[in-house]
Amino acid sequence: MKPPREQLKDLLRGTVNVHAEEELLKKLEKGQPLRVKLGVDPSSPDIHLGHTVVLRKLRQFQDHGHQAVLIIGDFTALVGDPTGKKKTRPQLTPTEVEANAKTYIEQVGRVLDTQRLEIVRNSSWLKPLPFYELVKMAATMTVARFLERDDFSKRLKEGVPIHLHEFLYLFMQAYDSVEVRADVELGGTDQLFNLMVGRDLMRDKGMEPQVALTTPILTGLDGHEKMSKSLGNHIGVSMDAFEMYSRVMSIPDANMKEWYTLLTNLPLDEIERLTTKMHPKMAKDRLGREVVNGFHPGGGDEAASEWDKKFSKGEVVDAKRLETPPEINIVDLVMLTKIPTSKGEAKRLIEQGGVEIDGQKVTDVKSVIKVKDGAVLKVGKKKQYFTLKPK
């Protein structure tokens, strides 16, 4: 292990909240491997680069010799985390949760060292938990404390129902920390309240409270909203190298520093040089290669070469210029190319993955495109290209 202060400097890179830094240093100074908890509810089958920000932080702890504990929330997922929700989250079935859990474990292995990873399911202790134990835990916290959460307070003001099981969720995930005796718990900034409940519960049970450490929420491909599959601004960890590289190349220049910091291991001074001294296209190319190599070792150069051939030197040279409104529905945009003969055909083409903008597939027929000057539209299996020009 590195000296405690050197570890602390590395581990705090790219973090937002640490409760508390001096506690983390004291834990490191004991010279023993820390138990570092990350809980994930398998509420969907896929993870994207936004999820890997906190996974990469967990990997950092592993690389410093600490014990990573990944909690698969197969029981809490049945309830549903209310964090950030404007209404009660739909509850999943055990079958859905189990199917998602299997893909989660495979995908996190692309970031974490699975040989040094403790994987546990919280159903093993929450399912047999006596009801009176839950009541005892509930007696340690007030409703007013729960209503400090922004999402709960907003829903209360707006008259949107808050159900009792949503309060119970916080106790269940906090009890996970007690059960695994966590020294540190990781989460995104939106999880800070949940992590602090874990600290409180551990303290109430006479345990040394965990350190709560949060990482930023990664901005998606649009440069504005958080990365989300439902918004279509994501890069999935299971995507092939070319698609992954192509999507990185579509992010706004202003977001490169954030992505470099959260998705690569490059030194901060080198990131500063890349994002301030180098031409944006070259800096983005380096970023694309770094991201791809993290999931497809050695695949970054090949993906970059293929992208360069298709979008810089090759087929796109013969692209037709297409003038469009500044914002346009994807179906209407495809119809402007005069390739499909009907809107029905255009919709099928989109849904089957036959339409890309700057290398990023658009498969939602309801998507509204904010047209960038010079963006490349690819339509159909014959790969007909168009460069877009907003009117």
Side-chain angles (χ1 to χ4, degrees):
M1 288 186 177
K2 286 185 178 180
R5 289 193 179 276
E6 287 187 31
Q7 289 189 58
L8 185 68
K9 182 180 178 181
D10 289 345
L11 295 171
L12 293 186
R13 168 178 164 167
T15 60
V16 180
N17 309 105
V18 186
H19 291 275
E21 184 175 326
E22 61 272 15
E23 290 180 24
L24 179 56
L25 180 59
K26 286 180 181 178
K27 288 176 183 284
L28 293 170
E29 287 174 340
K30 293 178 182 179
Q32 299 296 322
L34 303 182
R35 291 180 61 76
V36 186
K37 166 198 171 187
L38 173 64
V40 293
D41 284 350
S43 53
S44 64
D46 299 307
I47 65 174
H48 52 62
L49 293 191
H51 298 120
T52 69
V53 174
V54 70
L55 288 170
R56 288 175 56 82
K57 183 57 62 180
L58 186 57
R59 177 59 188 260
Q60 266 191 310
F61 275 94
Q62 283 187 309
D63 292 342
H64 280 289
H66 300 290
Q67 178 61 58
V69 183
L70 182 70
I71 297 180
I72 301 295
D74 59 336
F75 194 89
T76 42
L78 297 174
V79 177
D81 186 355
T83 301
K85 300 302 175 186
K86 297 180 180 179
K87 58 183 180 180
T88 300
R89 189 173 192 156
Q91 291 175 265
L92 301 177
T93 67
T95 301
E96 291 171 327
V97 170
E98 184 57 30
N100 293 343
K102 289 179 180 178
T103 64
Y104 258 58
I105 293 172
E106 186 277 325
Q107 291 175 60
V108 299
R110 299 170 185 244
V111 179
L112 301 176
D113 181 351
T114 55
Q115 298 301 313
R116 296 183 291 147
L117 178 63
E118 182 180 328
I119 302 176
V120 290
R121 295 173 180 246
N122 62 14
S123 61
S124 64
W125 53 80
L126 290 175
K127 193 171 183 179
L129 184 69
F131 187 72
Y132 71 86
E133 285 291 341
L134 187 58
V135 172
K136 283 166 61 178
M137 286 189 284
T140 66
M141 188 167 289
T142 67
V143 172
R145 173 84 165 100
F146 279 1
L147 292 178
E148 291 174 11
R149 283 178 52 140
D150 287 343
D151 40 17
F152 282 164
S153 60
K154 287 177 182 176
R155 282 162 63 179
L156 185 66
K157 290 176 183 176
E158 295 169 3
V160 178
I162 303 171
H163 292 87
L164 181 59
H165 75 279
E166 297 181 88
F167 284 160
L168 296 179
Y169 178 91
L170 300 177
F171 286 112
M172 289 189 288
Q173 63 84 32
Y175 188 72
D176 291 348
S177 296
V178 172
E179 188 69 26
V180 302
R181 306 188 72 84
D183 292 302
V184 181
E185 182 174 9
L186 307 180
T189 52
D190 58 346
Q191 293 292 314
L192 179 60
F193 188 95
N194 293 6
L195 273 56
M196 297 300 285
V197 174
R199 274 175 64 86
D200 293 342
L201 187 59
M202 293 181 79
R203 189 182 292 111
D204 290 336
K205 288 188 172 291
M207 303 172 66
E208 183 178 306
Q210 65 186 14
V211 170
L213 189 153
T214 68
T215 55
I217 305 298
L218 186 70
T219 305
L221 300 175
D222 56 7
H224 302 290
E225 302 290 339
K226 73 174 184 178
M227 183 171 286
S228 167
K229 187 175 180 181
S230 62
L231 295 176
N233 65 352
H234 70 294
I235 297 178
V237 301
S238 58
M239 286 181 177
D240 63 51
F242 175 72
E243 184 171 7
M244 191 174 282
Y245 178 88
S246 299
R247 291 195 177 205
V248 174
M249 292 299 287
S250 73
I251 71 169
D253 295 348
N255 293 97
M256 281 196 288
K257 188 171 184 178
E258 173 196 3
W259 279 47
Y260 264 119
T261 303
L262 300 179
L263 300 175
T264 80
N265 293 324
L266 296 179
L268 295 178
D269 57 350
E270 185 173 356
I271 292 174
E272 185 68 21
R273 179 186 65 81
L274 287 166
T275 55
T276 61
K277 307 295 184 183
M278 185 174 283
H279 189 282
K281 185 176 183 298
M282 295 178 65
K284 202 174 294 182
D285 167 66
R286 173 71 182 278
L287 175 61
R289 292 170 193 251
E290 291 285 340
V291 169
V292 170
N293 286 334
F295 299 96
H296 303 277
D301 290 347
E302 184 177 347
S305 176
E306 184 179 355
W307 188 91
D308 194 49
K309 176 185 175 184
K310 289 188 174 182
F311 294 100
S312 295
K313 303 174 184 175
E315 299 156 277
V316 180
V317 171
D318 299 320
K320 301 173 184 177
R321 194 72 165 165
L322 188 65
E323 290 194 349
T324 75
E327 291 191 9
I328 185 171
N329 173 268
I330 186 63
V331 176
D332 295 329
L333 176 60
V334 173
M335 288 298 293
L336 289 178
T337 67
K338 298 183 180 179
I339 293 174
T341 57
S342 67
K343 283 196 172 184
E345 184 182 342
K347 288 179 180 179
R348 286 191 295 274
L349 189 62
I350 293 164
E351 292 172 340
Q352 293 170 3
V355 175
E356 296 181 11
I357 297 178
D358 283 343
Q360 180 178 341
K361 288 184 180 180
V362 182
T363 56
D364 184 355
V365 295
K366 295 180 180 178
S367 296
V368 176
I369 308 301
K370 293 182 179 179
V371 179
K372 294 188 296 183
D373 189 18
V376 177
L377 170 69
K378 185 184 81 171
V379 180
K381 294 181 179 179
K382 295 183 179 180
K383 299 181 181 179
Q384 296 189 54
Y385 289 89
F386 302 82
T387 55
L388 304 182
K389 173 71 175 178
K391 295 178 182 177

